[in-house]
Amino acid sequence: MSPRRVHRHACSIVVAIAALTIGLVTAIAPAHAAPALSVSTVAAGLDKPWDMEVAPDGTLVSGERSGRFVAIRPGGSVQPIRADQSRLFVTNEAGLMGLALDRAFGANRTLYSCQAEKTSGSGVGTGSAGNLPLPFPNTGQVINVVAWRVADDWSSLTRTRTVLTDIPVNAGGRHAGCGLTAAPDGTLWVGTGDNAVPSYPQSRSSLGGKVLHITTAGAPAGGTISGTPIYSLGHRNVQGVAVQPGTGRVYSIEQGTSRDDELNLLAPGGNYGYRPDRAPFIYDESVPMTDPQRVPGAIGAVWSSGAPTLATPALEFLPADGWGELDGAVAISTQQGRRLVFVTLSENGRDTLRTTDGLRDTYGRLRGLKVDRDGSLLVTTDNGGGNDRILRVRAG
């Protein structure tokens, strides 16, 4: 190679590294001092309450991984809700996962759940062994979005239909998703996991490793890839989807490998660049979460955790007022990180302006998030052993 070509090649490398560095600075952004927060306990004695919703009458409904539904009534009383969960498949990261109330709940009393279910009596799980990097088979299980009718007194749920099926899950129960959100227009957003199967994130014939957009009848909704409910692909494990108030922008939060949990602004048909199939038949988690070299046109994250991973299962937009410097910020729960992360976005929603965190190493693993009617933030813990709580967090 001639000296001139060597110089030109070296310059190209420097420019590329500089561009990558700028991208990382934009995505990760420096953290600021933790804001002052006040915390109280809404309910205790729960066991892995992975999601929750707030009903128009002020009742808080939560679901535990084991399949138990719980109602916390406005007066503070906690009551179990009867439901036939005989089909539920519970192992590792699979079980009763996301919840969403129908936008017309006051009229139709409909609650949706995203849950793993047995398709046959042979549907057995591996337990904690499911975290091993092995190609676990499907032994008779699937993830469904299920519709329930809630009794007027919150005493029971009656299953009315399966809204969507064929979301994959295997015997290991790893990367099962499953974020569930009811949008203001009445449609449902569903975030799914890739089951640690190398081909799923990029495959358009699998619902794993995707964000889905459906009607409450289960049909594909706006912006989906023709003939499918797939809105975006190239994801690893999406456990949270949220619609930004006032803009209608849709964001997902997904858990990274050993690094780079991602907050993504979703685009119709967008590919977010996760492709763990570099070696045949091996789920290769050494690949980047967003890999534009192997996935041309891959869309980069709005925010990334960097290293190590924080394990980010949920996100929620804070109200536009009442939170001071955090007004309108994205609240993100973390499990391994054991704290809340607050991300303030740019006006166009594509860049991170600042990050702060709160509740660091105070309540253990944090999972579900929901803004209550008074603007406070509800947070579930995910520590297990019947020691979990629902917390109410306020600014100041």
Side-chain angles (χ1 to χ4, degrees):
M1 185 180 289
S2 69
R4 178 176 296 177
R5 291 182 66 190
V6 169
H7 175 74
R8 185 180 303 157
H9 182 65
C11 290
S12 297
I13 292 174
V14 170
V15 170
I17 292 173
L20 176 60
T21 302
I22 291 170
L24 287 174
V25 169
T26 300
I28 297 175
H32 290 71
L37 302 172
S38 63
V39 182
S40 58
T41 297
V42 176
L46 304 176
D47 190 12
K48 293 188 174 293
W50 277 1
D51 202 3
M52 60 189 155
E53 280 282 85
V54 180
D57 67 358
T59 297
L60 172 60
V61 57
S62 183
E64 299 174 326
R65 183 188 69 162
S66 64
R68 188 176 78 132
F69 292 94
V70 177
I72 297 91
R73 302 290 277 154
S77 64
V78 178
Q79 68 179 62
I81 307 173
R82 296 190 309 275
D84 180 0
Q85 287 283 45
S86 56
R87 306 183 204 179
L88 197 70
F89 173 73
V90 182
T91 193
N92 202 10
E93 299 171 14
L96 175 56
M97 296 172 285
L99 300 178
L101 288 178
D102 192 281
R103 284 290 173 165
F105 180 82
N108 61 28
R109 305 287 298 177
T110 296
L111 170 71
Y112 302 100
S113 65
C114 194
Q115 57 186 64
E117 299 193 313
K118 302 170 189 174
T119 58
S120 69
S122 60
V124 294
T126 63
S128 60
N131 287 320
L132 296 173
L134 299 173
F136 290 100
N138 184 292
T139 57
Q141 54 276 131
V142 70
I143 292 175
N144 292 326
V145 177
V146 176
W148 307 84
R149 180 172 176 81
V150 182
D152 290 344
D153 62 358
W154 291 93
S155 62
S156 64
L157 299 178
T158 302
R159 183 173 180 144
T160 58
R161 57 199 165 88
T162 299
V163 177
L164 182 69
T165 191
D166 291 333
I167 301 172
V169 64
N170 58 35
R174 191 175 177 214
H175 296 183
C178 176
L180 187 60
T181 297
D185 65 2
T187 59
L188 297 174
W189 293 92
V190 186
T192 72
D194 69 2
N195 298 182
V197 174
S199 62
Y200 279 2
Q202 295 296 323
S203 171
R204 299 190 180 206
S205 61
S206 170
L207 299 185
K210 310 295 189 300
V211 174
L212 314 176
H213 190 203
I214 60 173
T215 68
T216 55
T224 51
I225 295 172
S226 180
T228 78
I230 298 170
Y231 189 86
S232 62
L233 66 159
H235 299 286
R236 181 175 181 267
N237 191 25
V238 179
Q239 293 180 323
V241 183
V243 180
Q244 185 180 36
T247 69
R249 297 176 186 137
V250 183
Y251 291 81
S252 69
I253 192 74
E254 66 181 289
Q255 301 210 16
T257 52
S258 61
R259 58 172 299 138
D260 294 333
D261 308 296
E262 290 186 345
L263 174 67
N264 286 306
L265 172 58
L266 301 181
N271 192 321
Y272 291 80
Y274 187 57
R275 186 179 172 185
D277 63 350
R278 187 159 48 189
F281 310 112
I282 296 175
Y283 185 68
D284 183 0
E285 294 187 89
S286 70
V287 302
M289 282 292 290
T290 303
D291 190 349
Q293 291 189 341
R294 297 177 62 243
V295 184
I299 301 172
V302 172
W303 168 86
S304 175
S305 67
T309 180
L310 301 176
T312 51
L315 76 164
E316 185 83 349
F317 282 92
L318 297 178
D321 55 63
W323 282 84
E325 65 183 16
L326 297 179
D327 285 349
V330 185
I332 299 170
S333 59
T334 72
Q335 294 168 303
Q336 291 184 34
R338 296 172 181 260
R339 61 186 179 267
L340 294 177
V341 175
F342 300 100
V343 178
T344 300
L345 301 176
S346 60
E347 188 173 350
N348 66 10
R350 299 180 182 277
D351 300 298
T352 295
L353 298 181
R354 68 196 304 264
T355 65
T356 60
D357 63 37
L359 309 190
R360 182 188 288 260
D361 296 327
T362 307
Y363 297 99
R365 296 161 58 90
L366 306 180
R367 177 100 184 199
L369 299 174
K370 185 62 59 176
V371 170
D372 204 348
R373 298 179 303 167
D374 64 357
S376 61
L377 180 66
L378 298 167
V379 182
T380 72
T381 67
D382 182 27
N383 301 309
N387 297 313
D388 286 311
R389 292 188 271 177
I390 297 176
L391 308 171
R392 185 181 305 278
V393 181
R394 292 186 171 92

